[in-house]
């Protein structure tokens, strides 16, 4: 099973900041990595797939990069609605599909 | 657009079987381009993929749950289902149904989720 480790667990930020979240895979996953945003009481929302491709309707301030075992999600000019928990997920080697433990923006 | 909606009991007794259904609207479970998955999230914790079903009825499960899980597709009613046997308190979670591409692309459509508590 591929383990995804996200860092940091919590990030204290302010509106307008640019933030970078990290996801490290225990094995190479090529670019088969997705990022999700989850707000309290809501289902996760797909932000990024294939490591860097924005999903439909996702604002350009969200960008993903990386390949192999190291990935980042960058949010430029943080908006108030961006305060949430962010998860990475690999779909290179399954079963199972696996998720990171999440990074909370507060 | 495609919409997923979970339904089922919110309370299940330990040792019994959890049964949930996911109704698909605005699209078809007969799609040869998508897998239909169940994912769960214990309170305050992260996400765990349970398994998926294809329109043909073929399935794939998380090895950690495989012995207790059955996922099935009902093409006549455009829905798919989850059964989890011998539940314990550790199975208490929000259960989501979700869609992913046949050539996986992430889970692009999610239901709103349903909280299921295992308690007597």
């Amino acid at each position: 099973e591929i383990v995804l480790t996200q860092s940091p667990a919590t990030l204290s930020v302010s509106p307008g900041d640019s933030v970078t979240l990290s996801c490290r895979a225990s094995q190479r996953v090529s670019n088969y990595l997705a990022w999700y945003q989850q707000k309290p009481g809501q289902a996760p929302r797909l932000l990024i797939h294939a490591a860097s491709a924005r999903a439909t309707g996702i604002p350009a301030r969200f960008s993903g990069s990386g390949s192999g075992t190291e990935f980042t999600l960058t949010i430029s000019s943080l908006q108030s609605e961006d305060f949430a928990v962010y998860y990475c997920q690999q779909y290179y080697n399954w079963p199972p599909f696996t998720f990171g433990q999440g990074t909370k923006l507060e | 657009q495609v919409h997923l909606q979970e339904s089922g009991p919110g309370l299940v007794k330990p040792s019994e079987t959890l049964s949930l259904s996911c109704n698909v609207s605005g699209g078809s479970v007969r799609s040869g381009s998508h897998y239909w998955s169940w994912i769960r999230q214990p309170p305050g914790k992260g996400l765990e993929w349970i398994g998926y079903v294809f329109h043909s009825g073929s399935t794939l499960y998380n090895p950690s749950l495989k012995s207790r899980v059955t996922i099935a597709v009902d093409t006549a009613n455009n829905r798919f289902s989850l059964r989890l046997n011998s539940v314990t308190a550790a199975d208490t979670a929000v259960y989501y149904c979700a869609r992913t591409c046949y050539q996986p692309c992430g889970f692009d459509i999610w239901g709103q989720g349903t909280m299921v508590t295992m308690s007597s």
Side-chain angles (χ1 to χ4, degrees):
Chain A
E1 172 175 326
I2 295 176
V3 176
L4 300 178
T5 302
Q6 293 186 241
S7 59
T10 304
L11 195 54
S12 295
V13 295
S14 299
D17 287 351
S18 177
V19 298
T20 298
L21 285 60
S22 175
C23 177
R24 175 175 293 177
S26 61
Q27 306 170 33
R28 294 180 64 84
V29 299
S30 184
N31 68 331
Y32 291 84
L33 190 109
W35 290 93
Y36 301 84
Q37 176 193 68
Q38 187 178 33
K39 297 179 181 179
Q42 296 185 17
R45 176 175 70 145
L46 179 66
L47 298 175
I48 301 285
H49 63 95
S52 60
R54 273 190 301 278
T56 303
I58 301 304
R61 66 179 182 274
F62 292 92
S63 62
S65 65
S67 184
T69 62
E70 301 283 343
F71 300 87
T72 59
L73 174 70
T74 299
I75 312 171
S76 60
S77 188
L78 202 69
Q79 306 292 302
S80 58
E81 62 266 29
D82 300 336
F83 287 85
V85 179
Y86 292 83
Y87 294 95
C88 57
Q89 177 240 330
Q90 67 83 22
Y91 50 94
Y92 177 75
N93 190 353
W94 79 97
F97 296 113
T98 51
F99 294 85
Q101 81 280 17
T103 291
K104 181 179 181 180
L105 296 188
E106 63 176 25
Chain B
Q1 75 246 22
V2 178
H3 181 72
L4 306 181
Q5 178 67 59
E6 304 89 350
S7 61
L11 183 65
V12 179
K13 291 182 169 58
S15 80
E16 296 190 346
T17 297
L18 163 68
S19 294
L20 296 175
S21 184
C22 181
N23 187 65
V24 179
S25 58
S28 175
V29 293
R30 292 188 180 89
S31 167
S33 301
H34 298 100
Y35 291 117
W36 305 93
S37 276
W38 288 96
I39 295 164
R40 70 180 183 179
Q41 185 173 37
K45 297 189 177 181
L47 299 158
E48 180 181 35
W49 175 75
I50 299 170
Y52 68 48
V53 64
F54 196 45
H55 69 88
S56 63
S58 63
T59 55
L60 196 65
Y61 301 131
N62 190 321
S64 68
L65 296 168
K66 185 176 181 179
S67 64
R68 298 195 291 133
V69 173
T70 303
I71 297 176
V73 65
D74 178 356
T75 55
N77 292 294
N78 210 31
R79 63 189 181 194
F80 60 105
S81 62
L82 168 70
R83 286 174 58 87
L84 181 65
N85 301 327
S86 305
V87 301
T88 70
D91 295 311
T92 293
V94 176
Y95 285 76
Y96 296 101
C97 54
R99 185 185 83 169
T100 189
C101 306
Y102 178 70
Q103 293 213 333
C105 59
F107 297 98
D108 62 343
I109 306 290
W110 295 66
Q112 67 182 29
T114 187
M115 179 68 198
V116 186
T117 302
M118 317 305 164
S119 174
S120 56

